[in-house]
């Protein structure tokens, strides 16, 4: 009996071995936030979470009607095609032309995604070989660097500072790094900082890419979450944008569709085609009834976007005022779902966030969770119901930040 137990334990050790890339994988930021929320709730604390950017507002009825209509169609019960329905790609091309005056070939310059996150992660497999470099902003959405690691690449971080408007300083990238770099990741409106970029910056990024044979990959998930009359541009509006890169869009935040997993990538065919080829070997595409939801959203009443943004803008103003009342430095963002606030000197982001949840039951995200340059900041998401925003604001105002 002891021998059998020993054999079983040895077998378990062999079969439980994981790949080095998994052993080196840090815990996903929002998994850790969820764990802290669970800990507080176990103590009986009613937690108010400004942690994760998942819209609380429901998907609009006319979009859900399209799902209901197409669910019973037998053709939609079968495998979809990875490249997506032709009518969806044509719809995306129309939307890009109307929204940004960007012309795209639906057949070759657009690939639908199972959410922008999937496309961003898979893009590393398209363009990064082991030892290649990806130019990654810091702070940033973690998937840019994680996808690079999965592909065996190396992330060279570009610090985003307040002094530079949270834009990367492309001139500061060392020559030897430029020679090894294969992709440049940018993201405006920015997560987590809420910073903005204009077409002039996008053109500089595109020229940088062309000069150094680096693909420019722009994550534009928040282009329609805007306030105060601001309209966010697309990277592809830059004169050299399509020649140098590809852009990722998402229906998640614009139409409250995070749970339906819909997005697309578009741009240079030499970048879109590899992404399609990788996807066709990894996934089977978006369920066709859900693709019909995307068509209903993009072709439908766009006034729903303005209505969403009016709600979020009111939340933004309340949260900004509360943070300023306890001495934090905050710029009122004109886009994105996030508030990026500088905490008082002498505190770390993690310690400040820990005290806030322990003393007030309010969850925020430590800025260093998005990279070392995020130290000294916290991020708050505006995607919780209004009554919770109001209660959270009261708790924040009662918090002693020093």
């Amino acid at each position: 009996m002891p021998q059998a137990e020993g054999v079983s334990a040895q077998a378990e050790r062999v079969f439980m071995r994981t790949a080095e890339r998994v052993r080196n994988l840090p815990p996903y930021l929002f998994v850790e936030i969820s764990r802290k929320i669970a800990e507080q709730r176990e103590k009986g604390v009613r937690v108010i979470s400004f942690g994760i950017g998942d819209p609380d507002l429901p998907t609009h009825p006319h979009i859900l009607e399209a799902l209901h209509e197409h669910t019973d169609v037998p053709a939609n019960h079968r495998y979809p095609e990875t490249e997506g329905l032709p009518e969806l790609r044509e719809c995306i091309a129309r939307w890009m032309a109307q929204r940004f005056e960007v012309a795209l070939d639906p057949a070759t310059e657009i690939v639908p995604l199972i959410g922008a996150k999937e496309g961003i992660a898979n893009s590393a497999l398209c363009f990064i070989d082991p030892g290649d470099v990806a130019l990654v902003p810091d702070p940033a959405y973690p998937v840019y660097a994680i996808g690079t690691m999965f592909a065996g690449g190396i992330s060279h971080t570009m610090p985003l500072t307040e002094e530079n408007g949270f834009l990367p300083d492309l001139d500061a990238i060392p020559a030897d790094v430029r020679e090894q770099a294969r992709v440049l990741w940018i993201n405006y409106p920015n997560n987590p900082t809420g910073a903005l970029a204009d077409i002039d910056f996008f053109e500089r990024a595109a020229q940088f890419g062309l000069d150094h044979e680096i693909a420019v990959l722009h994550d534009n998930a928040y282009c329609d979450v805007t306030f105060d009359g601001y309209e966010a541009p697309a990277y592809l509006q830059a004169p050299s944008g399509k020649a140098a890169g590809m852009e990722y869009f998402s229906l998640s935040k614009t139409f409250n569709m995070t749970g339906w997993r819909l997005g697309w990538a578009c741009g240079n065919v030499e970048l879109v085609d590899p992404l399609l080829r990788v996807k066709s070997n990894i996934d089977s595409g978006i369920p066709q009834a859900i693709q019909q939801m995307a068509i209903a959203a993009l072709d439908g009443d766009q006034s729903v976007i303005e209505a969403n943004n009016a709600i979020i803008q009111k939340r933004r103003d309340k949260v900004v005022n509360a943070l300023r009342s306890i001495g934090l430095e905050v710029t009122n963002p004109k886009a994105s779902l996030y508030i990026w606030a500088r905490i008082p000197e002498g505190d770390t982001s993690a310690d400040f966030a820990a005290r806030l949840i322990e003393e007030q039951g309010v969850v925020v995200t430590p800025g260093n969770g998005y990279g070392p340059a995020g130290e000294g900041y916290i991020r708050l998401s505006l995607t919780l119901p209004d009554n919770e925003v109001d209660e959270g604001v009261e708790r924040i105002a009662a918090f002693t930040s020093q």
Side-chain angles (χ1 to χ4, degrees):
M1 191 69 170
Q3 182 180 5
E5 289 177 355
V7 170
S8 175
Q10 182 179 11
E12 182 177 345
R13 283 196 297 274
V14 170
F15 287 105
M16 292 296 285
R17 183 183 180 278
T18 56
E20 184 177 354
R21 71 178 63 87
V22 175
R23 295 197 297 273
N24 293 336
L25 187 64
Y28 190 56
L29 175 61
F30 300 122
V31 172
E32 180 66 13
I33 291 171
S34 296
R35 184 188 66 78
K36 289 182 179 179
I37 292 172
E39 286 179 355
Q40 291 300 310
R41 286 176 176 162
E42 285 179 6
K43 298 176 183 177
V45 177
R46 173 176 150 74
V47 175
I48 303 295
S49 178
F50 291 95
I52 300 174
D54 187 2
D56 62 296
L57 302 171
T59 304
H60 297 283
H62 73 278
I63 300 172
L64 292 173
E65 286 172 10
L67 175 66
H68 299 156
E69 177 185 348
H70 292 278
T71 295
D72 292 334
V73 177
N76 293 337
H77 302 173
R78 308 186 71 181
Y79 282 126
E81 297 296 336
T82 304
E83 65 265 29
L85 292 168
E87 52 264 44
L88 173 57
R89 286 183 274 115
E90 291 164 4
C91 174
I92 291 169
R94 283 195 303 275
W95 189 85
M96 290 292 296
Q98 293 165 2
R99 173 68 174 81
F100 298 112
E101 298 183 349
V102 168
L104 294 167
D105 181 346
T108 63
E109 295 180 334
I110 296 170
V111 56
L113 303 173
I114 308 172
K117 180 179 181 179
E118 170 260 305
I120 289 167
N122 280 332
S123 291
L125 300 177
C126 301
F127 311 120
I128 298 291
D129 282 324
D132 286 344
V133 170
L135 303 175
V136 175
D138 172 15
Y141 183 46
V143 181
Y144 311 141
I146 295 299
T148 300
M149 186 195 77
F150 281 162
I154 301 164
S155 291
H156 174 83
T157 56
M158 305 176 293
L160 307 184
T161 66
E162 276 190 76
E163 294 74 20
N164 201 38
F166 294 109
L167 297 172
D169 183 355
L170 301 178
D171 294 333
I173 298 169
D176 60 329
V177 173
R178 292 197 304 265
E179 290 176 3
Q180 299 177 69
R182 297 294 175 264
V183 301
L184 163 66
W185 284 105
I186 52 177
N187 163 224
Y188 297 95
N190 185 258
N191 174 21
T193 69
L196 309 176
D198 58 19
I199 293 177
D200 286 344
F201 169 77
F202 290 146
E203 179 61 15
R204 291 200 305 275
Q207 286 297 331
F208 176 87
L210 292 173
D211 289 345
H212 302 289
E213 298 183 357
I214 296 170
V216 180
L217 305 178
H218 180 233
D219 177 6
N220 205 356
Y222 299 94
C223 63
D224 280 315
V225 184
T226 57
F227 320 115
D228 305 324
Y230 174 71
E231 291 187 11
Y235 160 78
L236 290 177
Q237 288 179 283
S240 307
K242 189 189 292 188
M246 182 164 61
E247 193 158 22
Y248 305 76
F249 292 85
S250 170
L251 279 74
S252 291
K253 311 311 196 296
T254 303
F255 295 101
N256 306 329
M257 296 177 69
T258 50
W260 300 110
R261 311 313 304 135
L262 283 161
W264 71 87
C266 55
N268 191 310
V269 65
E270 294 183 15
L271 302 177
V272 171
D273 180 66
L275 180 54
L276 175 59
R277 284 190 282 137
V278 165
K279 281 176 53 58
S280 66
N281 283 281
I282 291 177
D283 67 65
S284 297
I286 307 162
Q288 290 184 170
I290 294 179
Q291 292 186 56
Q292 294 292 345
M293 295 176 74
I295 294 170
L298 295 172
D299 275 348
D301 181 7
Q302 302 296 289
S303 68
V304 298
I305 299 173
E306 186 176 349
N308 277 359
N309 290 345
I311 294 170
I312 298 167
Q313 182 172 328
K314 289 180 181 177
R315 297 174 180 177
R316 176 202 68 175
D317 294 342
K318 292 176 181 178
V319 173
V320 166
N321 289 338
L323 293 170
R324 287 174 175 168
S325 76
I326 62 169
L328 274 61
E329 297 179 24
V330 190
T331 299
N332 232 1
K334 290 185 178 295
S336 85
L337 293 169
Y338 310 111
I339 307 295
W340 187 244
R342 181 189 285 276
I343 61 175
E345 291 187 11
D347 229 336
T348 69
S349 297
D351 288 345
F352 188 94
R355 287 200 295 116
L356 191 54
I357 191 171
E358 289 166 5
E359 296 178 22
Q360 296 294 333
V362 171
V363 176
V364 299
T365 311
N368 62 345
Y370 300 94
E375 180 56 67
Y377 297 86
I378 56 172
R379 194 199 78 168
L380 293 87
S381 170
L382 301 171
T383 57
L384 62 168
D386 289 332
N387 65 313
E388 294 190 19
V389 171
D390 291 340
E391 185 174 348
V393 162
E394 290 180 4
R395 294 188 193 185
I396 290 171
F399 178 65
T400 303
S401 62
Q402 295 286 1

